[in-house]
Structure formats: structure tokens, C-alpha cells
Amino acid sequence: MYALRIIFSSFFLILMALPRAYSQVDATEDLYELVLDEYLDIQVASASRSERSVKDLPITVHVITREEIEKNHYTSLVEALKDVAGLRVGQPGNGVDGELFMMRGQVGNSYAKILLDGQPIAPSVASGMPLGEQINMASVERIEIIFGPAAALYGADALAGVINIISKEVPNDKKRMFASRVTGGELGYINTSLSYGINKPDKKFKFIADAVFSRRADMNIKRGYNDVYNNEDPGAFAKLPSQSIGAGFKINYRNFVLQYSLMQRKDHSAIGQSNLDYDYNTSASFWGETVQRYALRHQVQKGKFNFVTNLSYLRYRLNTQSYFKFTFLDNNSYKFAASDDIMFEEIVIYNMNEDTELMGGAVFQAFSSMPKTNDLEEPFKKTGYRAFANITPAADDVFGDFGFNPRLESNMATFVQLTNTGRKHTLMASARLDYHSRYGVSFNPRISFLVNMTKKTAFRSSFGRAFRAPSGYYTYNSVAFFEDTTRQLITFLVVPNEALRPEQLTTFEMGIRQLVGKKWSLEAIFLQNEIRDLIFVGQTRLDKNQKPYYALSDSDSTLASSNGGISVFSSLELVASGRNLSEKLALTINGSLGIAKGYEYLPNGDTLKNFRQLPLYFGKLSLIMAPFRSTKVRFLKDFYLRIDNTTSSGWYIARIDTRAAYELPENKVGGKSMFSLAYSAIDVNARFGVAKGAFVYLKCTNLFDAKFAGVDPYNASVSLNYGPQYRRTFYMGASFSF
């Protein structure tokens, strides 16, 4: 009720402001009225690091436009990705990484490069990019999604692809802009955001600032999920809250762009973990982090040369009060992690002629970090870490320096790309050479081409390599605790492994796109992925001579992150899109079906005949319409309706580590057969116009209240078998902009 009161109060204020703002609002272009040729002409910068139209790119690209973001009232990045062909999501995901998404068979938080205005925002010390609602989606101009390895341009961690979030600027034809929106929902959900910008063309100056606050009092992941929670009644659990805060500004002055971004997230730390080991009976335990980014960009063109300079500083701090609450320990288990990442990049683009472009660049990165500590009985003292100081916190009386591993590392790289575009072809060849102070030299090429066989038929193919450098979260994973109240013996559950190596990916892809008339596009994409030197947590020998405190363990065995095994999968994805199919209904239909099959060679020598976390088939169907555009009643004239259906077969869970575990029925999500339907879920979103620039929204996720699984929360023995997803939830919101 509190959330609804805020909505109605905000909506009243919006109505009060309408008479003044009405004449200042311009209608935005309706994406769903674009014919295919216009959609394929949308400019994308992420794929080649210089702007090119979608139709000229020889790789798989998807763009989520400003109109889609506004009409669907997205409140998080993962919610927007949920509607993209080939992507599978987990909402919620887990306490450490937040919401999750799968991309090309891998968890995108860790295997995709996530950028904000072309520069990375994932901290070097984290397991991946933590995602909640800390990015103000109302201030996003578009989201460019590049599928496939992009290490040749972006370096480490761009195995599954690149996601570039492009923030808004004040349009050139406006002197100022303002936008606000508020959303409320069941179980105490509230999301509210503001943005304001000014434009002074005579001074070549633009400024925009934004802020977002989101809170969910409880997560709707309990009812009906008794089997997931080991047959315990989740209705007796405490509330499982989450909260996100985001703020920032961007200044454009002549050839300079200065940005600041604050991204803060806090989730219940037990989410995704087994209730047998983690306490769900308290609302207080949480995992929370703050990410701050300062970025400066300078771009200048001189003749045929275009020079781009990027400088950024990324600061990550895990809240010192973050802790896990275990069911078998009386005290809280506090954690801490921190990183400071500095990046300098220089890019030079040479337009040799109308058809050929040569782009090259160099990057220097410096990393200072304190990887995730051991479980601490007291919160970490902030004085125990200073950026680039390489100091070690005071040793514990018993555990010594176990779990305290401050690091100073660096990476240097150079890259080059040649692009040639003709009337019937596009060729892109790129390569990048990295030297990391810990992992040494890595060379990653990518070559791709597109051939326009006819005016309506295009064939493309690409080959690429990429690598994923293990963050300190994996290399220095440290967990130890006293076995009993006598505090004489210690259990070293997980110990660091400084010999951990990067994972290596090789991908081959080809696709064909066929335009049918002016309204339909059909596409078929085939790809094969192979990853070697997989990072996993496995048994290892505890060398009691290595550290004096290891002698306090009565076991010679422990766990550590290690390399080993090979995973291979092939997939065929069919995508169909029909735009503005009916003039009366303004009907758009988008559909996709992915069919995948793979196998894995485990480090212990066992072979799995399937690829973990990969459904045999996964499909999406979207119906989008605006059926009352011809009416003069504004409430109906601006009516917009979107219905999304997601369907998936079963899959094998991530934590399978032996052939014997693979054979157990409880380690497979869905029916007995891989062809069995695991779930089908429907989301509905409707928007109504109140006045020019003012709208109200109604949204229902999981309309038929399906009980289903999302992306596996963790790959660990103490995690839930699968991640329960939100049951049916209703939302209502309002927005206003000028």
C-alpha cells in the first residue's frame, strides 16, 4: 500500500505539471512503425568501435532502442535483456551477483563485457558484473548487444559478447529536458527515477544528471517452491529484501565528455544458497556493494584521422557490514572486497577511402585489489586496504593472513582492425595482443565477413578467439572456520590457488538473413563454441608446510579453484520479425527458437553428453500492438500492448561435477526427457497515454503464476538445485517527460 500511495501522489504531481509542459513535448519516433530497411539502418558503435549500420555488420547484433525502453517501462538491464532472442535470465539470480543472464551458453555477468558508453563497468575483483536496478533505465538511450567473442577489440572477459549501455543526452533541438517515473508493485516494490538536462548550443555545452532508487521489501520466490528449499516451508522464511541506488551526471563540452556514475546494490545474501546451510530466517543478512566510475573522453577529427582518448577510474567496495549467516554457526560471517581500476586508452581511426577503414589502439590498465576475504567474525576495518598501497591487514591471532591477499596487477594491450565495405560485402579483420602481469601474453584474433547475395539476402560468417582472466574472486577464494566451540581445529573449506589460468574460447558462427517484402525478416544463425581450461572448484591437497595455520586442520584435503576440462556446444537459432504488419493494429511479431546440444569433458575424466545449464530448446514469442492509434481519445490513442511468452525445455544444473551426479534425476530441471517442457511463462505490459509526454503503465510478470527455474544461481554444492523465479507479480507506474 505504501508503494501505491507513492505512485498515486507522483501521478497527481505529473497531472499538475501537464498544462505547462504540454507545448514543450515532441512526439518520439515509434520504433514499431519503422519498416525493416529503416531498422537495419540503425547505427551501432560497439561492434567495430566506429559507427556502422546493423545491416552492414558481419556479426550478430541486437539493439534495444529508447522507444522500447520507454514503452516497456524497463527497470533493470536484465529485464530489458529478457526480451532479446537468445538470452535467458534469472530474476532474482543470487545474493553476490544479483540478477543473472545467460548468453551463448555462459553466465553473461561473468562472460560478457558490460560497458557504459563504451567503457567497462565490471570491477576487476568481482566474480562478474553485479546487476540489480542501479542503472537508471529511464536515462538509457539504447542498448547495443554484440553476440560472440569480442576480445580482439575489448580484451579479457568478452567471450559471450558485449553489452554497451548508451546513456541519453539532451537532443540538439532542445534546450532542456526532464523525465521522471515511478513504479510500484506487490510485496513492497517501489522504483522511482528522475533526470534533468540542459543544452547550450552556442557554448557547445550539454549537461544531464539522473538518479534512481529501487526497493523490494520481499522477493516473491517462496510460495510453491517447497521442493527447491529441501521440503522446508518457505512461507516461514523472513522477508528477503533488495535495494538499488544509482546516480550520475554527464557533461559534454566541445570535444570532451566527462561522466560520473554511482551504482549501489544490496541483496539478501542467502538468495540462491541452500537453506540447509544458509539462514533464511533473518532479513538482516545482506551482500552489498558500491561501484563508482569516473570517465573522461576526448574525440577529435583531423582530415581522414579520428582520435579518441579514454581515461577512466572504476572504484569498487563491498560494504564492510556484508555477511553470510550460516545455519551451523552462531556468529555472522563478514566479508570484504575492494578494487581500484585505472584505464587509459588511445584509439586512432584512419579512413583510407570511402570503403576502407583502419583502426588501431593501445590500452594500459592498472589494478589494485583486495579479493574477497575469509569469513570474518568482525567487520573488516577500512584502514586494512588502501588503493595501490599493497598493504596487508594486521594478521589474525589464529588464521594469520589467510584470506588477506592484496594485489597490484597491470595489463597492456594493442589492437588493430581493418574494415572494408562495398556494395555487396563487408569484411572485418581484427586482432589484439595483451600482456598481463600475472597471466602473460594472450593473442586473440577475429575475422568476419558479410556478403549481400541479393538485395534481400545476406550471408555472414565469423571466427574468433577470446579469453576470460580469472578475477581475484576465484584465484583467492578463501573460506575457513573453527570446527567446534573449543576453537582448536580449523576447517579450511576453500584455499587460494595462484596458479589459476585464463579460460580459452574458440567460436565459429555463420548466419543468413532473408527479408520478405518490407515487413518480415527471417534469420538463421549457427554457431559452435569450445572452451578449454575451464575454471571449477575441485578437491586439492592441503599442503600443511605451505602456511603455519594449515597445520591446525585435521584434514589433508580441501577445495580450490582450478583449471581443467573442455566444453563444446553447437546451436541453431531461428529468428523471425514482422514489423507493422497491420496498419490498423500497428502489429509487430517477434519470434525466436534456439536449439542447442553439447558435451563436456570434466577434469576428472568423466564425459557429460550434454552442456550444463543449456536447454535443448528455448523459444520466445512477442506480440506488440497499438490498436487505437486512429482514435482522438488520447488515453486510447497512445495505448500500447506487449505480450511475451518464453518457453524452455529442461537442462542439467551447473553444479554437476561427475558422471554419477549427471545421472541423478534431481540434477536435471524439467521432465525426464530433454524434450519435455520445463516451463512456459507469459508477461504482459500495457501503456496508456494521459497527455503528451505523460503515461501510465500496467504490468504483470508471470501472468499464469508458473513455477519455474531461471539461470542456476551458483556452481557450488551448497547452492539451491535451481534458482526459483518470481511468481505472478503486478506492477503499476507512471512517467512524465518533456
Side-chain angles (χ1 to χ4, degrees):
M1 293 300 295
Y2 175 71
L4 291 178
R5 286 200 299 270
I6 292 179
I7 290 177
F8 288 125
S9 299
S10 302
F11 186 55
F12 176 74
L13 293 175
I14 288 173
L15 291 177
M16 293 288 289
L18 289 180
R20 179 174 176 272
Y22 185 89
S23 62
Q24 301 174 357
V25 181
D26 295 324
T28 59
E29 183 181 30
D30 191 337
L31 172 74
Y32 302 105
E33 293 182 6
L34 294 178
V35 296
L36 282 174
D37 287 341
E38 293 171 321
Y39 176 76
L40 294 174
D41 281 333
I42 293 176
Q43 298 293 301
V44 174
S46 309
S48 61
R49 306 201 74 168
S50 62
E51 288 198 346
R52 297 190 178 278
S53 63
V54 172
K55 68 181 179 183
D56 290 332
L57 290 169
I59 52 181
T60 303
V61 177
H62 184 91
V63 179
I64 304 174
T65 66
R66 172 172 54 89
E67 290 77 19
E68 289 177 279
I69 293 169
E70 291 176 352
K71 287 189 172 184
N72 295 299
H73 209 64
Y74 294 134
T75 56
S76 76
L77 173 63
V78 171
E79 185 183 22
L81 298 179
K82 183 180 180 180
D83 293 336
V84 177
L87 299 182
R88 188 163 64 93
V89 307
Q91 292 180 292
N94 64 53
V96 172
D97 297 310
E99 297 182 343
L100 304 173
F101 68 97
M102 293 289 289
M103 187 175 187
R104 292 290 170 92
Q106 306 296 331
V107 178
N109 303 57
S110 303
Y111 286 84
K113 197 85 166 183
I114 300 179
L115 313 172
L116 178 59
D117 290 320
Q119 298 186 48
I121 55 174
S124 64
V125 78
S127 58
M129 180 61 204
L131 294 174
E133 297 186 359
Q134 71 271 52
I135 297 173
N136 185 1
M137 297 300 292
S139 294
V140 174
E141 178 66 23
R142 68 183 184 275
I143 303 170
E144 299 175 357
I145 304 168
I146 313 302
F147 289 85
L153 293 180
Y154 292 100
D157 307 331
L159 282 81
V162 173
I163 295 176
N164 191 10
I165 304 162
I166 309 296
S167 61
K168 282 184 180 179
E169 295 180 1
V170 183
N172 292 329
D173 60 346
K174 289 186 177 182
K175 291 187 176 181
R176 61 192 174 103
M177 63 174 287
F178 171 81
S180 68
R181 70 179 186 178
V182 59
T183 306
E186 296 180 274
L187 298 179
Y189 175 80
I190 180 73
N191 179 293
T192 182
S193 66
L194 292 169
S195 62
Y196 177 76
I198 58 174
N199 177 24
K200 295 185 177 181
D202 56 327
K203 297 182 179 180
K204 297 182 179 181
F205 175 85
K206 290 182 180 181
F207 171 83
I208 189 168
D210 71 281
V212 62
F213 172 81
S214 173
R215 183 177 183 274
R216 194 182 296 270
D218 194 11
M219 295 187 181
N220 193 4
I221 56 171
K222 303 173 186 176
R223 179 172 49 85
Y225 285 114
N226 300 52
D227 57 330
V228 182
Y229 296 107
N230 300 288
N231 295 317
E232 185 177 344
D233 178 15
F237 291 169
K239 290 183 177 180
L240 307 174
S242 67
Q243 179 176 296
S244 296
I245 297 174
F249 66 81
K250 179 162 68 171
I251 298 173
N252 296 62
Y253 179 66
R254 297 185 181 273
N255 296 323
F256 290 90
V257 180
L258 175 66
Q259 285 182 279
Y260 169 76
S261 302
L262 168 71
M263 295 165 280
Q264 197 173 80
R265 180 193 67 96
K266 185 165 69 173
D267 280 347
H268 195 282
S269 57
I271 298 300
Q273 305 280 16
S274 170
N275 57 300
L276 298 180
D277 299 286
Y278 291 79
D279 192 354
Y280 281 79
N281 296 314
T282 175
S283 297
S285 61
F286 73 92
W287 185 283
E289 77 280 317
T290 299
V291 179
Q292 293 174 282
R293 190 194 71 148
Y294 305 80
L296 178 65
R297 179 183 179 91
H298 178 259
Q299 184 168 350
V300 63
Q301 186 168 351
K302 294 184 177 181
K304 293 185 176 183
F305 289 91
N306 192 6
F307 298 89
V308 182
T309 304
N310 292 313
L311 178 64
S312 69
Y313 167 52
L314 189 68
R315 184 181 187 271
Y316 169 90
R317 295 293 185 273
L318 184 64
N319 190 316
T320 57
Q321 301 296 318
S322 298
Y323 72 89
F324 291 113
K325 182 67 176 177
F326 293 102
T327 57
F328 50 85
L329 294 177
D330 294 331
N331 56 295
N332 299 332
S333 297
Y334 293 93
K335 290 286 192 180
F336 179 73
S339 64
D340 296 86
D341 307 331
I342 296 174
M343 184 190 77
F344 173 79
E345 180 181 59
E346 183 67 35
I347 302 172
V348 180
I349 302 171
Y350 173 47
N351 296 299
M352 302 173 67
N353 52 53
E354 292 184 356
D355 300 328
T356 307
E357 175 190 276
L358 180 64
M359 188 259 306
V363 184
F364 174 76
Q365 297 165 284
F367 312 105
S368 171
S369 67
M370 170 68 78
K372 183 184 63 172
T373 63
N374 180 34
D375 295 349
L376 306 175
E377 293 184 342
E378 299 291 337
F380 184 86
K381 294 181 180 179
K382 294 182 180 180
T383 56
Y385 169 78
R386 289 208 309 267
F388 298 100
N390 201 24
I391 63 172
T392 301
D396 183 85
D397 292 340
V398 178
F399 290 98
D401 62 356
F402 181 75
F404 296 142
N405 300 284
R407 306 303 305 168
L408 292 177
E409 298 172 338
S410 63
N411 186 74
M412 295 181 290
T414 182
F415 55 90
V416 64
Q417 176 174 269
L418 178 68
T419 305
N420 180 265
T421 302
R423 187 171 61 88
K424 291 189 175 184
H425 78 277
T426 298
L427 172 67
M428 292 173 59
S430 52
R432 173 164 166 150
L433 183 69
D434 285 78
Y435 176 76
H436 193 280
S437 59
R438 170 174 291 276
Y439 305 116
V441 176
S442 178
F443 176 72
N444 294 279
R446 182 181 72 178
I447 184 166
S448 51
F449 67 89
L450 176 144
V451 177
N452 294 308
M453 303 168 67
T454 69
K455 289 184 178 181
K456 293 183 177 293
T457 306
F459 173 82
R460 67 177 185 271
S461 183
S462 65
F463 170 85
R465 294 186 60 193
F467 70 106
R468 179 196 180 204
S471 75
Y473 182 92
Y474 300 101
T475 303
Y476 294 99
N477 194 4
S478 306
V479 180
F481 48 83
F482 290 107
E483 289 189 8
D484 52 39
T485 56
T486 65
R487 301 172 70 89
Q488 298 298 313
L489 293 176
I490 297 176
T491 295
F492 289 93
L493 186 63
V494 186
V495 300
N497 176 16
E498 293 188 327
L500 200 62
R501 305 184 306 276
E503 295 179 334
Q504 305 291 337
L505 168 78
T506 302
T507 292
F508 170 74
E509 176 183 337
M510 60 182 180
I512 187 166
R513 180 175 61 230
Q514 177 69 47
L515 303 184
V516 181
K518 293 185 177 181
K519 298 183 177 182
W520 278 99
S521 170
L522 306 177
E523 196 163 6
I525 305 161
F526 170 81
L527 72 94
Q528 180 164 317
N529 268 14
E530 178 184 283
I531 301 181
R532 293 177 176 269
D533 291 332
L534 293 167
I535 296 174
F536 70 100
V537 177
Q539 292 285 338
T540 188
R541 180 176 173 272
L542 183 65
D543 185 357
K544 295 186 178 182
N545 295 320
Q546 184 181 14
K547 299 285 186 179
Y549 40 78
Y550 284 171
L552 297 177
S553 173
D554 61 355
S555 174
D556 293 327
S557 179
T558 185
L559 298 173
S561 296
S562 305
N563 293 99
I566 302 172
S567 66
V568 179
F569 83 87
S570 302
S571 73
L572 175 65
E573 186 164 13
L574 307 174
V575 182
S577 179
R579 293 178 175 274
N580 200 21
L581 299 177
S582 166
E583 293 292 335
K584 185 176 181 179
L585 298 178
L587 176 65
T588 290
I589 299 177
N590 296 321
S592 65
L593 176 65
I595 304 169
K597 182 66 175 177
Y599 59 89
E600 296 189 67
Y601 297 115
L602 300 181
N604 64 1
D606 287 353
T607 301
L608 305 183
K609 295 181 179 180
N610 284 281
F611 193 95
R612 289 169 294 178
Q613 293 204 78
L614 190 67
L616 178 64
Y617 63 85
F618 182 74
K620 294 184 179 183
L621 178 64
S622 301
L623 301 179
I624 305 163
M625 64 185 74
F628 307 118
R629 292 186 303 165
S630 59
T631 182
K632 295 183 179 180
V633 180
R634 178 166 294 280
F635 190 72
L636 295 177
K637 179 180 177 64
D638 292 327
F639 174 72
Y640 163 90
L641 178 67
R642 177 168 182 149
I643 303 172
D644 293 284
N645 173 240
T646 302
T647 301
S648 177
S649 69
W651 64 88
Y652 289 89
I653 65 175
R655 70 184 194 186
I656 293 172
D657 57 2
T658 65
R659 175 73 186 189
Y662 172 78
E663 301 290 350
L664 296 175
E666 61 265 29
N667 287 336
K668 179 180 173 298
V669 177
K672 295 181 180 180
S673 168
M674 286 297 290
F675 293 93
S676 301
L677 178 67
Y679 71 86
S680 180
I682 293 178
D683 297 338
V684 179
N685 180 69
R687 184 180 81 160
F688 302 86
V690 178
K692 217 169 187 180
F695 302 92
V696 294
Y697 301 82
L698 296 174
K699 183 184 294 186
C700 178
T701 58
N702 196 1
L703 177 65
F704 294 112
D705 203 24
K707 172 187 165 185
F708 67 102
V711 177
D712 290 4
Y714 293 103
N715 180 7
S717 60
V718 292
S719 64
L720 295 174
N721 261 18
Y722 67 82
Q725 300 299 280
Y726 291 135
R727 302 298 296 265
R728 180 172 53 221
T729 308
F730 290 96
Y731 302 91
M732 178 180 178
S735 70
F736 168 63
S737 62
F738 67 83

